[in-house]
Amino acid sequence: MTTKVITAPKEWLLSKISSVTGNAVRIALWDGTQIVPPGITPVGTVRLKDWRCLARLALDPGLYFGEEYSAGRIDIEGDLPQLLTAVYPAVSGKRTAWFPKLISRWLEWTQDNTLSGSRRNIRTHYDIGTDFYRLWLDSQLVYTCAYFASPSETLEQAQVEKMDHVCRKVQLQQGDTVVEAGCGWGALALHMARHYGAKVKAFNISHEQIVYARARAAREGLAGQVEFIEDDYRSISGRYDVFVSVGMLEHVGLGHYKELGNTIHRCLKDSGRGFLHFIGRNRPMRFNPWIRKRIFPGAYPPSLRESLEVFEEHDFSVLDIENLRLHYARTLENWLERFERSAGKVAEMLGTNFVRAWRLYLAGSIAAFRGGTLQLFQIVFARATNNLIPWTRAHLYTDDDQQEQKWIAAMS
Amino acid sequence: MTTKVITAPKEWLLSKISSVTGNAVRIALWDGTQIVPPGITPVGTVRLKDWRCLARLALDPGLYFGEEYSAGRIDIEGDLPQLLTAVYPAVSGKRTAWFPKLISRWLEWTQDNTLSGSRRNIRTHYDIGTDFYRLWLDSQLVYTCAYFASPSETLEQAQVEKMDHVCRKVQLQQGDTVVEAGCGWGALALHMARHYGAKVKAFNISHEQIVYARARAAREGLAGQVEFIEDDYRSISGRYDVFVSVGMLEHVGLGHYKELGNTIHRCLKDSGRGFLHFIGRNRPMRFNPWIRKRIFPGAYPPSLRESLEVFEEHDFSVLDIENLRLHYARTLENWLERFERSAGKVAEMLGTNFVRAWRLYLAGSIAAFRGGTLQLFQIVFARATNNLIPWTRAHLYTDDDQQEQKWIAAMS
């Protein structure tokens, strides 16, 4: 492998890039030029197609790696999640230049989660089309971290177990009233109704998801027990035994936690149990700007400390927090594998650039959960004065699980 | 029951007090005057002995209730923990007057947890004398929240189970090196050595406790496995598989969490597991000023959010948080019961006022944990990049517990 003589401006741009990639990968240019990390075997090769791509990467790698990869002006040789895992620690927190800062501010400003902003942000992602998500999610379309009680389980099993894990955490009982904030395609709400006899009101501002969830409820004879409401969490009214929210806090935005806390305070009975499940961080850091621009507008994964703002104002008592980071890495591995199997169909539906963008998003998420830059927190909480809380957490693990096995079998 | 005509200044003082007690109790004065809560049965009677006591209570109830009760100028009729549970919600957060604020500032200023300040603060409480603590703690002198796997267990059993709960949470293995920050009389360090084959370095700045712990280690043939070091957590050196701290964070002080975080970062191996157990809050609030003046100088129970400052700076990943609030109420009920049985001996050793003060402290703590104004948090953490973390928490609950039963039997 010959390394060409590098001209000065190219060298400067390349050195900027390789300082960011942390020398874990080989960088190859359109003209045969290569930067090979010294002394170690690179985890893969990043191949740049032209000058513009090189310049943009040097200007803002966080934003333009995704842009150029999606457009096919960057190619990757090697395992994408592995390569991104290697690069991630080096990229994290390197955005101090003026241009990335400007981009970040601009995104923040244009993507604020007001009532109308939230609707726009959520629809960008979740209204791509149920037919698309059906190609690579599990059969119940659960688009959040699964719970693999043992690492060998299938995604189908692990999503059912996740729903039961949540139901056990809130001690769900026959006849309980539940409000769900951000219900996706309705799998959890319907699971609570069918298997626990709960009455559920489930809120979501994704139109496509609500339409699908209503149809499913009707088809399965659960429309009398589960009401799907196309509205914002801030509009929730009534008082409930249980509040649950799985995968919504990421979309609430740091400036709106007080509104979420007020909603929960308003709608949870004195004896009520609450549950929040969300992607978070060990310390405050925004999502990558490309993710914010193209995948999850308006999203922010709070540090665990930041997330607790939701609870302090109204004196909620945090009872239990579990970090399921490695479960999300495994969930995403399943999703990416299924996604790749359907890549041809996705390309027909949404184009090649879309396939490349979503491949990068899924692989990058695997890297972040594996590498510990993203976390998955489940928080159980109750009012400070509620003494009807479980004595220990043994009930989550030692119950007779025959019933559970039956559900898993029925769903698989 | 006749209610005398109330003179104007007395009325004013009484109205100040009853606004604080929230009308849950009957207040009776030296001259027969009574304030009886309207419409409800009072949980008990607070009997004031003289004018000075009434005036002080009106000036700063948070401070002077304890002072006057200890001095015998306030008497309580009725169940003390129950009465305090009823009064607590009303008292919390009512200190806005200038005098209580001044007292609070003065305590803060004189009780800062510098290296020498910490030593002074800790010795005030923990060096009262092992003979005193032996009268009412369990046989191993575990002076922190126990873990009652079922509510019917004895304190002896529950303290052993707590130690095993901690050991399981940090996945303690034969040959592991452990550093413990704040080790009390050494029970946990010795438990880890004897039952798990760990090598432990245990730090404590209480001289009495270290002397006792060293003697116990020698007596039990564990001096080769456990080293008790009379020094501050900030002086810890070396690198360890496990960091544990049970009941120390309350004494670290909000301004020193960064120092604790630095210590942990310095001493935890890359594959290490960390554990923090402490009294906390749902939202920021200081200890009652009397507790700070007479019982725990320099102590502060952080809100869960505040406590996470320890971890953010060095990117530690919180894996598991459990709130054992009701376990601490039960632990304290056991302690108070034993304390009352030995009240005569304590009075001989330390005087009647001391007995009254400690009765109030124990009963007040029961009230705070029952009523939800204090929490007990256990946090398991690891480095962000450590992927050798347990897949689920089932191992805490489903292990063969024969070994555990044997230890409990041996210790009872």
Side-chain angles (χ1 to χ4, degrees), chain B residues 305-348:
Chain B
R305 189 178 55 80
E306 289 174 325
S307 75
L308 296 181
E309 250 187 64
V310 173
F311 307 111
E312 277 202 354
E313 174 102 0
H314 297 290
D315 203 20
F316 285 113
S317 191
V318 169
L319 303 178
D320 178 22
I321 301 182
E322 184 175 20
N323 186 338
L324 295 174
R325 166 169 76 86
L326 295 179
H327 292 252
Y328 217 157
R330 188 169 293 266
T331 305
L332 281 151
E333 284 160 18
N334 274 278
W335 288 345
L336 181 58
E337 196 191 310
R338 288 161 180 237
F339 180 86
E340 292 294 5
R341 270 190 261 136
S342 296
K345 276 188 204 159
V346 178
E348 277 171 36

Side-chain angles (χ1 to χ4, degrees), chain A residues 148 283 303 305 312-313 315 317-321 323 325 327 370 375 386-387 391 393 397, chain B residues 148 282-283 303 305 312-313 315 317-321 323 325 327 370 375 386-387 391 393 397:
Chain A
F148 296 83
R283 52 180 168 184
S303 78
R305 189 177 56 79
E312 278 202 353
E313 173 101 0
D315 202 20
S317 190
V318 170
L319 303 179
D320 177 21
I321 300 182
N323 187 337
R325 167 169 76 84
H327 292 254
R370 265 194 211 154
Q375 317 292 317
N386 181 357
N387 281 359
W391 192 254
R393 304 181 304 196
Y397 303 97
Chain B
F148 296 82
N282 293 333
R283 52 180 168 186
S303 78
R305 189 178 55 80
E312 277 202 354
E313 174 102 0
D315 203 20
S317 191
V318 169
L319 303 178
D320 178 22
I321 301 182
N323 186 338
R325 166 169 76 86
H327 292 252
R370 265 195 211 154
Q375 316 293 317
N386 180 357
N387 282 358
W391 192 254
R393 306 180 303 196
Y397 302 97

Side-chain angles (χ1 to χ4, degrees), chain B residues 266-279:
Chain B
R266 201 172 60 230
C267 78
L268 197 65
K269 289 185 187 170
D270 288 346
S271 59
R273 290 87 65 195
F275 178 83
L276 223 55
H277 164 128
F278 60 95
I279 297 168

